[in-house]
Every structure is written in C-alpha cells, then in structure tokens.
Amino acid sequence: MTRTVFVNGEFLPEHEAKISIFDRAFLMADGVYEVTSVLGGKLIDFEGHATRLQRSLNELDMRSPVSTEELLEIHRELVERNEIEEGLVYLQITRGAPDDRDFVFPDPDTTPPTIVLFTQNKPGLANSPAAQKGIRVISIEDQRWGRRDIKTVQLLYPSMGKMMAKKAGADDAWLVEDGFVTEGTSNNAYFIKGNKIVTRGLSNDILHGITRAAVLRFAKEAQMEVEERNFTIEEAQGADEAFITSASTFVMPVVEIDGVALAGGTPGPRALRLREIYLEESRKAAI
C-alpha cells in the first residue's frame, strides 16, 4: 500500500510529496518536530505533544500553520488512511521556504511555515523484544547546543551518538556534560536504587519528555519515590536498575552501562512494571 503523507494542507501519496530546496529546515535545521505513538489505532499522549510543540514554536518565534484541533484531525486522518494499528506519527514544522538562502529569518507574513506529517507502521511496538532483554548503553560527551528543551530537527550529534554506540557493540548512548548524565540520544535517562527513581531535573539541558512526565506521575502513584537531580555514570552503574523513556520506546530497561551489568544483566522488575503501567494507562487515555 502506498503511504499517504501530509504536506502543507494536502494529503498526498509519499512519492508525490515535495519540499523546496530553500526550506529553512534543509538549509538551517530551522524547524521543530514531534513524534506521537499509535496503539490500537489511537494516539498516545497527543495533548502533551501538542503542548510541547507550541512551546518549541514559541521559543523559536515561529508560527504554527494549524490549530491544535486541526492538527489532531490530520493525525487521525493519516492513521486511518495508512491503517496504522501500532506505529508512529511524525510531525515537522519549519520556518518555511523563502526565495533564497539567508541567515536572517524570513518575514512570516510573506513566507508561510512548512508543515509535514507522515506515519510509520510499527507492528509489535508495544511488545518489543528489546524490552524483554533490555538494552546496553555507553557514555559519550554531550556536544549538543544549549537549548535541548526545544525539540528541534538538529539531530546530527544524537545520530552520531547512536552510531558510536553501534560501533561499540551497544544499543544507545547516554550523554555526559560536566561529569553528569544529561539524557540519552533520543530519550530521558533514569536509574532505580531501592524504591527510588533518580533522573535529571528539567532545565534547558534536557528535553522535557512527554513520556517522562507520565511515567514519573505513574511511579509516584505506585508509591515509588522520585528524585530529580544530577547523577553520574558511576552512580548509575551502582544502581539496582536503569531505564530510558521516549514516545517510541515507552519504558525501556537498561541492563548495561559502559560494560557494567545491572540486575544481573536482565531487566529489573520495577522497570518492567513501570512499562506495564504506562502502556495500560496510556491505552485507556488514547484518543
């Protein structure tokens, strides 16, 4: 089946979709994005993603070409047209395509923003085999720009980080700045010691994860203690368990950090329980 995508107000077959070579995302990485998971044909945490999208746009002084209500309808239409039961909806908004390349922002009254959405079909997303065996991470220096709280399309270094991990025989990387873990390449990072979850606090240094917020809320409801603070790789290596969260991995156990195994190298019970709770509650609230 040919995939249907959405480009600037039109639903199109993917092979007919075109963007100008002068688009600011292509030339300047001047754009923001969101990824929303789909389970059972419904959207997970859509409201949170829409709210964060608007925050990212505001921080970059960028206009949205659609309202939140219109955005929801576009998501639903793409899910239906592409028959997505389990998968992802990718959304990107850029500052648009002016007549030529220039460092100065184009006039928004004459250069409308670009909006693109497409789906990714991911059967078995909720029952990922990786969650049953856990993932291994390495640590690398965090060399990204300072505004990681804005979900921009500047993803070169995170991509390089994933390739560093792959080259080292691992699954992903945790980024370290001034001796402390910031986050994963495309996820938030945590460890568990006893009944306490430790994760870095919100700031410009990390992405304000939508899945992160939900998981921490569910953890507190399950009578787990949550401590938001800086932590080191060595501290995480001495933990009982570790995990990451993101819209596409939900709660993913980490079983090895820089060659040091946690929980005997198998996913810990608390991380697995948090994944179970998150999926259960998210399915209930999906729209």
Side-chain angles (χ1 to χ4, degrees):
M1 183 180 72
T2 299
R3 179 167 46 175
T4 297
V5 302
F6 181 89
V7 180
N8 293 333
E10 292 186 274
F11 290 95
L12 301 166
E14 61 180 303
H15 62 272
E16 294 182 13
K18 295 179 176 62
I19 296 293
S20 169
I21 64 168
F22 297 112
D23 193 273
R24 296 273 302 183
F26 176 64
L27 296 176
M28 305 286 185
D30 191 0
V32 300
Y33 78 103
E34 285 289 338
V35 178
T36 301
S37 290
V38 178
L39 294 178
K42 294 184 177 181
L43 300 164
I44 302 297
D45 283 332
F46 174 82
E47 183 178 349
H49 288 288
T51 299
R52 184 173 63 184
L53 172 68
Q54 190 57 56
R55 179 184 183 276
S56 294
L57 291 168
N58 291 343
E59 290 297 308
L60 296 179
D61 195 23
M62 196 182 299
R63 294 180 182 177
S64 175
V66 294
S67 67
T68 299
E69 293 74 19
E70 291 169 329
L71 200 58
L72 175 58
E73 290 309 309
I74 295 168
H75 275 70
R76 285 174 164 165
E77 184 71 17
L78 283 175
V79 168
E80 181 177 350
R81 290 193 185 206
N82 293 303
E83 300 178 4
I84 305 297
E85 280 297 308
E86 291 194 349
L88 308 169
V89 181
Y90 178 90
L91 154 71
Q92 181 169 301
I93 297 176
T94 84
R95 207 177 299 275
D99 294 332
D100 208 345
R101 180 180 182 273
D102 196 331
F103 278 86
V104 176
F105 290 173
D107 183 347
D109 291 329
T110 57
T111 300
T114 297
I115 180 169
V116 170
L117 290 92
F118 60 82
T119 58
Q120 293 178 289
N121 191 30
K122 302 280 186 180
L125 182 66
N127 297 315
S128 168
Q132 302 307 311
K133 65 178 184 178
I135 64 170
R136 296 174 296 161
V137 302
I138 62 169
S139 62
I140 62 174
E141 183 182 356
D142 196 338
Q143 297 183 354
R144 300 170 300 166
W145 81 314
R147 292 301 308 273
R148 299 131 192 188
D149 56 307
I150 307 173
K151 197 171 177 69
T152 73
V153 296
Q154 300 180 53
L155 297 173
L156 179 57
Y157 190 70
S159 181
M160 291 172 66
K162 287 188 183 292
M163 295 309 297
M164 291 178 211
K166 183 177 180 179
K167 186 175 181 179
D171 302 295
D172 207 344
W174 281 6
L175 306 169
V176 178
E177 185 173 60
D178 299 327
F180 298 104
V181 175
T182 49
E183 56 191 340
T185 58
S186 59
N187 42 68
N188 292 118
Y190 315 73
F191 72 82
I192 302 175
K193 190 73 172 179
N195 197 46
K196 180 188 293 183
I197 297 175
V198 178
T199 190
R200 192 175 180 110
L202 295 179
S203 70
N204 290 352
D205 296 331
I206 68 169
L207 183 68
H208 299 190
I210 303 306
T211 307
R212 175 190 186 277
V215 169
L216 293 184
R217 184 175 72 253
F218 296 145
K220 291 174 182 177
E221 291 173 357
Q223 306 306 308
M224 292 189 71
E225 185 181 351
V226 174
E227 185 174 359
E228 298 182 63
R229 62 167 173 83
N230 291 358
F231 65 91
T232 65
I233 286 291
E234 292 73 23
E235 192 175 6
Q237 287 174 322
D240 299 324
E241 303 179 41
F243 63 94
I244 60 170
T245 63
S246 73
S248 59
T249 61
F250 309 122
V251 178
M252 181 64 66
V254 172
V255 297
E256 184 181 291
I257 303 172
D258 277 343
V260 175
L262 283 72
T266 59
R270 287 182 174 84
L272 289 175
R273 179 56 181 151
L274 283 171
R275 180 182 177 87
E276 184 179 333
I277 292 171
Y278 175 78
L279 287 171
E280 181 180 334
E281 295 301 319
S282 295
R283 287 181 189 275
K284 291 179 183 177
I287 59 175

